[in-house]
Amino acid sequence: MSVRENILNAIATNQPTLVPLPVLNRTAVISYEDRYAQFKSVLESIGGKTELILNIEIVIEKIRSDKANDTFIIDTISAESIDTADTIALSAFELEKVERAYIKGTVAVAENGAVWVYESQMKNRLLPFICQHLVLVIDKNDIVATMHDAYDKINVGSEGFGAFIAGPSKTADIEQSLVIGAHGARSTTVYVVE
């Protein structure tokens, strides 16, 4: 018997016994009196911005203002947006020039400040990561306490791609220097529609 076979046999005979996954009492895990306040606190602590707005029309007005200023934006929210097929077909070289991307999220998570976005909401899976400034819009009723709750509300297998996005791009090196926007959006703003 070779050394390799000896090692593999030793591993096979020394496997731990399988234990069933624990059943969590999710009501006892984490809850927040004000999920929006917790979401805002966490998102802002990781470099993002949050604003509570009365209706989606406020975001639509910001989109119109950006377009009037000749800012290259991609709007996947309003009916005034460019054709979806055009956005999907844009190459990385064309998307690299996007100053601001407006995208509707599905669910937000209070415990970590993340927002789930399906590929169909992004229109192009590169968009939220290549734009300079990312603007996400979420309904206040779609803020949940934990990731467990978030996975209950989304269907990960329904589309080819989706992502939890929490704040702007960040990286830190061994000298403990935090750099925001190093390999993705330089800023993330989440508008929460009341």
Side-chain angles (χ1 to χ4, degrees):
M1 195 179 282
S2 72
V3 173
R4 179 179 183 273
E5 289 171 335
N6 285 339
I7 292 171
L8 292 175
N9 286 336
I11 291 170
T13 57
N14 291 302
Q15 291 291 317
T17 56
L18 295 177
V19 178
L21 291 173
V23 177
L24 298 176
N25 177 2
R26 300 228 322 250
T27 59
V29 179
I30 295 176
S31 63
Y32 303 103
E33 283 184 39
D34 186 345
R35 290 190 302 247
Y36 168 72
Q38 176 66 23
F39 175 77
K40 178 180 174 73
S41 172
V42 173
L43 183 64
E44 290 179 354
S45 74
I46 59 174
K49 296 177 200 136
T50 310
E51 188 177 329
L52 188 62
I53 59 175
L54 292 176
N55 56 48
I56 193 73
E57 201 50 46
I58 294 168
V59 176
I60 304 300
E61 198 52 48
K62 289 181 186 296
I63 292 168
R64 288 182 189 133
S65 173
D66 280 347
K67 286 181 180 178
N69 293 330
D70 285 334
T71 304
F72 182 26
I73 69 161
I74 292 187
D75 158 30
T76 66
I77 297 172
S78 75
E80 302 166 10
S81 66
I82 64 172
D83 186 21
T84 301
D86 292 342
T87 304
I88 292 170
L90 290 175
S91 71
F93 296 108
E94 294 163 311
L95 286 172
E96 181 261 333
K97 299 175 186 103
V98 174
E99 184 66 20
R100 194 166 283 114
Y102 290 87
I103 302 172
K104 178 92 169 89
T106 300
V107 65
V109 185
E111 74 174 333
N112 63 9
V115 176
W116 175 262
V117 182
Y118 283 110
E119 183 175 20
S120 61
Q121 294 167 307
M122 298 174 197
K123 306 300 183 207
N124 185 314
R125 62 175 64 178
L126 192 55
L127 182 59
F129 311 106
I130 201 167
C131 65
Q132 292 295 312
H133 305 282
L134 177 61
V135 179
L136 298 170
V137 178
I138 191 83
D139 291 327
K140 189 175 182 184
N141 294 335
D142 291 329
I143 300 175
V144 297
T146 67
M147 290 294 282
H148 295 291
D149 299 324
Y151 276 105
D152 286 343
K153 289 191 84 163
I154 63 175
N155 182 354
V156 178
S158 69
E159 296 188 17
F161 182 76
F164 279 107
I165 301 172
S169 161
K170 298 170 278 309
T171 188
D173 62 12
I174 56 174
E175 295 174 1
Q176 299 178 350
S177 297
L178 179 64
V179 178
I180 295 191
H183 45 69
R186 294 185 308 166
S187 74
T188 298
T189 302
V190 178
Y191 289 108
V192 179
V193 181
E194 195 150 18

